Amino acid sequence: MSTPAVQLKPGDYKTDVKPVWCPGCGDFGVLNALYRALARMQLEPWNTVILSGIGCSSRLPGYVKTYGFNSVHGRALTLAMGVKVARPETHVIAVGGDGDGMAIGGNHFIHACRRNLDVTYILMDNEIYGLTKGQTAPTTPTGDRTKSSFYGNPEPSVDPVELAISTGASLVARGYSGDMKTLTSIMVEAINHRGFAFVNVMSPCVTFRGDHQFKELKAKLRHLPEDHDPTDRTAALAYTRETDVMTTGILYRVDEPSLVDRLNHVNAVAQGEGPQPTTRDILKTFYPSF
Ligand SMILES: Cc1ncc(C[n+]2csc(CCOP(=O)(O)OP(=O)(O)O)c2C)c(N)n1
Ligand code: SF4
Ligand SMILES: [Mg+2]
């Protein structure tokens, strides 16, 4: 990565487009943390692309001075995969909402985790479909009243963090849009990570979930204890079963071959570099304990 000739500040990553989010929307916190993370890393705008689907949160690429594309509902990760595989040297960041990523895009999410796709995915989780005016999402807690579940959501909800850890993401974090300092540090680590780095940011929707969502999340907020071992999957999963508290930080992180690593390996073999390996040899490369 070449260093830009001038020192970029968070404001240098802002476009002239003014966010159209409702005043007080949690997504402002996510955007500001991202500006700070990009500046802390001095990430080259010309070598970075931010991709999204559709939703209030998916408007974010328009507000950041990098390459970007506000695409089709649920498809942020499919575009991210195309860009990363075609241009592996590019920093690829996918963003979007819980509806975008867990409902219509849920299948793409599982396969991005499984493949350990070299992308940072920031999910702005307000537990609702914001843009379409407040319908129940897969992350809406059971029993909560929404515009589409007037008598309370009858369905069990999904925890994106638990799903990511269970399906193979190599970095999984939880953040809160009201805690800029922690969120910025999480984003820096996620963007630096090789492999699929998933950051679930609790980002309140003041319009369709009410002011109380901020207050309730703030009251539950805890930081990871210093002695947490992020390579311990069982310990990481335990943080997804909390009810009265919400722990933020890098819950899980392991060093595994990424999709690009695997494709590079296949390319080298296909081009005849070295002896042709057996299936067992290939599996051993990726899973030393095989
Ligand atoms: C194929 C398709 N289906 C449905 C929609 C309607 N739609 C647009 S955004 C959205 C959900 C938005 O919720 P979320 O992804 O959580 O984002 P938020 O607005 O809450 O940030 C839906 C259902 C669409 N645009 N395209
Ligand atoms: S509807 Fe909700 S998610 Fe959308 S901009 Fe307003 S507060 Fe944010
Ligand atoms: Mg949402």
Side-chain angles (χ1 to χ4, degrees):
M1 179 168 95
S2 64
T3 312
V6 289
Q7 188 74 11
L8 296 171
K9 297 187 212 50
D12 294 325
Y13 290 90
K14 281 187 187 172
T15 61
D16 296 334
V17 184
K18 287 267 168 282
V20 293
W21 293 318
C22 308
C25 175
D27 295 351
F28 284 102
V30 182
L31 178 63
N32 282 322
L34 186 60
Y35 289 142
R36 290 174 190 210
L38 295 174
R40 195 179 293 173
M41 299 174 75
Q42 289 295 293
L43 224 61
E44 305 126 326
W46 55 91
N47 197 23
T48 305
V49 59
I50 305 183
L51 304 150
S52 67
I54 295 289
C56 297
S57 42
S58 287
R59 293 183 188 274
L60 185 143
Y63 309 140
V64 189
K65 215 182 265 178
T66 59
Y67 288 100
F69 188 24
N70 180 187
S71 73
V72 185
H73 194 38
R75 304 294 180 254
L77 286 172
T78 59
L79 288 151
M81 177 153 154
V83 174
K84 191 67 197 186
V85 169
R87 300 286 297 270
E89 71 284 3
T90 308
H91 301 284
V92 182
I93 302 171
V95 298
D98 46 296
D100 197 77
M102 291 295 117
I104 192 169
N107 55 345
H108 301 304
F109 180 73
I110 290 168
H111 296 294
C113 292
R114 173 179 71 82
R115 290 173 170 140
N116 200 19
L117 172 67
D118 315 49
V119 157
T120 305
Y121 183 33
I122 300 169
L123 192 117
M124 294 141 91
D125 186 355
N126 52 14
E127 304 175 327
I128 202 93
Y129 289 178
L131 186 75
T132 47
K133 306 215 179 300
Q135 297 86 354
T136 303
T139 51
T140 307
T142 311
D144 279 20
R145 281 175 65 166
T146 72
K147 288 278 177 72
S148 64
S149 55
F150 190 73
Y151 297 103
N153 175 21
E155 299 179 1
S157 58
V158 65
D159 179 349
V161 170
E162 184 180 11
L163 187 62
I165 297 171
S166 313
T167 51
S170 53
L171 184 150
V172 182
R174 192 194 280 124
Y176 169 53
S177 62
D179 178 7
M180 188 94 61
K181 190 165 171 255
T182 311
L183 187 55
T184 305
S185 305
I186 290 173
M187 284 182 180
V188 169
E189 289 202 45
I191 296 168
N192 269 328
H193 181 73
R194 190 171 178 89
F196 193 63
F198 175 59
V199 184
N200 197 65
V201 189
M202 298 310 296
S203 179
C205 170
V206 288
T207 301
F208 295 109
R209 297 281 290 156
D211 281 349
H212 60 88
Q213 200 183 13
F214 259 118
K215 289 185 198 123
E216 282 171 13
L217 289 170
K218 197 170 174 201
K220 288 168 80 176
L221 194 67
R222 300 279 185 285
H223 293 126
L224 263 180
E226 298 266 313
D227 61 354
H228 172 67
D229 173 7
T231 64
D232 183 341
R233 182 187 280 234
T234 309
L237 281 170
Y239 286 111
T240 68
R241 308 221 170 89
E242 297 168 317
T243 48
D244 297 334
V245 295
M246 180 186 74
T247 303
T248 57
I250 309 276
L251 303 177
Y252 185 64
R253 176 171 44 199
V254 285
D255 197 11
E256 297 275 352
S258 70
L259 180 68
V260 170
D261 293 335
R262 290 163 199 248
L263 291 176
N264 286 344
H265 180 77
V266 172
N267 276 342
V269 172
Q271 284 166 23
E273 291 171 20
Q276 294 290 310
T278 62
T279 308
R280 195 181 173 81
D281 291 335
I282 294 174
L283 283 169
K284 252 191 153 345
T285 314
F286 298 135
Y287 303 101
S289 59
F290 181 78

